[in-house]
Amino acid sequence: MARVGLTTERLTRAGAELADEVGFDRVTVSALARRFDVKVASLYSHLKNSQDLKTKIALLALEELADRGAAALAGRAGKDALTAFANVYRDYAREHPGRYAAAQLRLDPETAAISAGGKHAQMTRAILRGYDLTEPDQTHAVRLLGSVFHGYVSLEMGGGFSHSTPDTQETWSWTLDALDTLLRNWPAT
């Protein structure tokens, strides 16, 4: 009777919630079964194994981030777009630390191709069109932005900035100003 209503989507969302609560690395099919008070075998008609669950959580997180990113970018350009997009990543990591970690999961090429990961790159390239970058500089800039956003968020979430001043929000704003200045003055190759 406890199995009634279990679907792959419901299990994926519950797994994402679990990841936010206990950490993505601690998400397993067993832990999810305990959450629903069912036997692990009851979940195998919806999930292959713990890696399958983690992949589904990663896909959900990438989709959620893409949706937030698209909404944040609507009608924005230049530094305004850059800041809005960067804040999506930072805010998402703060609200959903386990899902954010899931979004970093390395996916096999076939799964990556159907994921929302490509949307993230497209949105970043849309922002960069406002800076008039051409290839290969645009690809370098996509990688730079991803590295800075992820690096800052990871260090901040891990407590790397918690023992010094100024406030992390001030440094975040300074970082985004520096990126904007760099992109506006990017040297032509």
Side-chain angles (χ1 to χ4, degrees), residues 32-52:
L32 193 58
R34 284 191 298 277
R35 177 166 278 218
F36 283 97
D37 195 28
V38 297
K39 294 186 186 301
V40 173
S42 301
L43 304 185
Y44 286 132
S45 62
H46 303 287
L47 302 166
K48 295 176 191 169
N49 51 38
S50 291
Q51 187 59 40
D52 182 42

Side-chain angles (χ1 to χ4, degrees), residues 40-119:
V40 173
S42 301
L43 304 185
Y44 286 132
S45 62
H46 303 287
L47 302 166
K48 295 176 191 169
N49 51 38
S50 291
Q51 187 59 40
D52 182 42
L53 172 60
K54 287 184 173 189
T55 298
K56 288 177 179 4
I57 295 168
L59 293 172
L60 172 68
L62 287 168
E63 192 66 43
E64 288 176 343
L65 270 166
D67 290 346
R68 286 184 181 201
L73 288 177
R76 293 191 161 114
K79 183 181 177 194
D80 189 35
L82 175 69
T83 300
F85 193 63
N87 285 335
V88 163
Y89 282 87
R90 187 173 182 227
D91 293 345
Y92 189 81
R94 288 171 157 181
E95 292 170 36
H96 301 292
R99 292 179 208 204
Y100 181 78
Q104 311 312 312
L105 182 69
R106 185 179 187 136
L107 302 172
D108 66 77
E110 192 174 293
T111 304
I114 62 167
S115 77
K119 293 178 187 176

